[in-house]
Amino acid sequence: MARQSNDTWNLATSVGATATMAAAGRATASRSDGGVVNDPFAEPLVRAVGIDFFSRLASGDLDFADVGTGWLTDFFAVRARYFDDFLTNAWQAGVRQAVNVASGLDSRAYRLGWPAGSILYEIDRPEVIDFKSATLTTLDAVPTTVLRPVMTDLREDWRAALRAAGFDPAQPTAWLLEGLLIGYLPTDAQDHLLNDITELSAPGSRFAADYVLPTSEFGSDMRTVANTWREHGLDVDLSSLFFEGQRTDVANHLQSQGWESHKSRLRELYNDAGIDGAAFDLVYDETAAITYVTATRRHS
Ligand code: SAM
């Protein structure tokens, strides 16, 4: 079913299921030899959601290669590593306040070694945050930073919810948007989000995201993947989750709004993670045109 501007979901439906998919990817990547990412919470979180296809992937009963998408294990590994490194660099620059925008089943609050004095805000819909918190509690997982959940919808006034949770716009912030700006927000909501983040960003703030270029074929490529998975037993429709329309080039937009931005392609992420990109099918880097951006808010 096509997306609606006011639609809702949980972790087993609609765009919520993509958070379960991403966590299944991290579970798979955590089992592979490279040691690029280690997310011990991904598998139990995915299994708790209960989408059989993703549970089997997360537990290793099924491999991405068995369902025609073997490239995804390394893709999810290097993507997670890129955002892990982004946070490490922000901490090294002295940033102590972070916001994970559309945090899904991300477990960085639990699996990374956060510096003393750090605080992390996680924004997602209430159904997603409630489920993750409850499941991690049953696993006796303990956050390694001060963790403040912000249950809201990014198409609404999320800034008020963030500030009500204690966010301090006077402090530099590390903003992390992993797997969101790839079509999951309406185009105008995405632009508003970037502008709102800019307004809330003190000088020295950091930003990292993956996004699709205005000309990207990512939506149609992901529809192909989703349909292949359906043939292999996935009973959730992931093929029609993207809002259509011309999108801003995120890196260029930030650059024009007082940020110093830097774009990377998937091939560079493989190299940085020490994985020989040439050995893998990087066709999606070229055709889907996912771009990765980090940015730092200028001082003047
Ligand atoms: N960042 C996480 C990761 O990489 O594992 C989750 C990414 S998942 C692909 C997309 C996430 O975006 C989901 O958790 C979904 O709930 C969230 N999301 C999408 N649209 C949203 C909205 N309008 N408001 C709040 N969250 C939203």
Side-chain angles (χ1 to χ4, degrees), residues 234-245:
L234 175 64
D235 56 2
V236 183
D237 182 10
L238 300 182
S239 68
S240 50
L241 300 180
F242 305 101
F243 285 101
E244 304 292 341

Side-chain angles (χ1 to χ4, degrees), residues 86 95 97-99 101 158-159 162-163 167-177 192-208 254 257-260 295-300:
F86 161 75
V95 177
Q97 178 171 256
V99 182
V101 183
W158 61 272
R159 288 187 301 175
L162 181 62
R163 294 189 73 145
F167 174 84
D168 181 1
Q171 300 299 320
T173 302
W175 300 92
L176 190 148
L177 292 79
H192 283 306
L193 178 66
L194 294 176
N195 294 338
D196 289 346
I197 286 176
T198 297
E199 269 186 46
L200 292 174
S201 292
S205 291
R206 309 284 176 117
F207 177 101
L254 291 177
Q257 300 292 317
W259 297 79
E260 207 53 54
T296 303
R297 184 95 161 107
R298 288 194 285 266
H299 283 264
S300 59

Side-chain angles (χ1 to χ4, degrees), residues 3 9-11 15-23 26 79 100-106 108 123-125 128 152-156 176-180 182 184-186:
R3 297 287 310 275
W9 53 85
N10 59 36
L11 283 154
V15 69
T18 68
T20 308
M21 171 189 73
R26 285 191 294 276
R79 188 179 84 151
N100 189 337
V101 183
S103 45
L105 293 176
D106 185 295
R108 288 190 176 88
I123 303 178
D124 211 304
R125 287 198 45 87
V128 172
T152 188
D153 193 297
L154 294 162
R155 296 164 295 186
E156 295 166 5
L176 190 148
L177 292 79
E178 183 180 18
L180 175 69
I182 54 178
Y184 295 147
L185 286 178

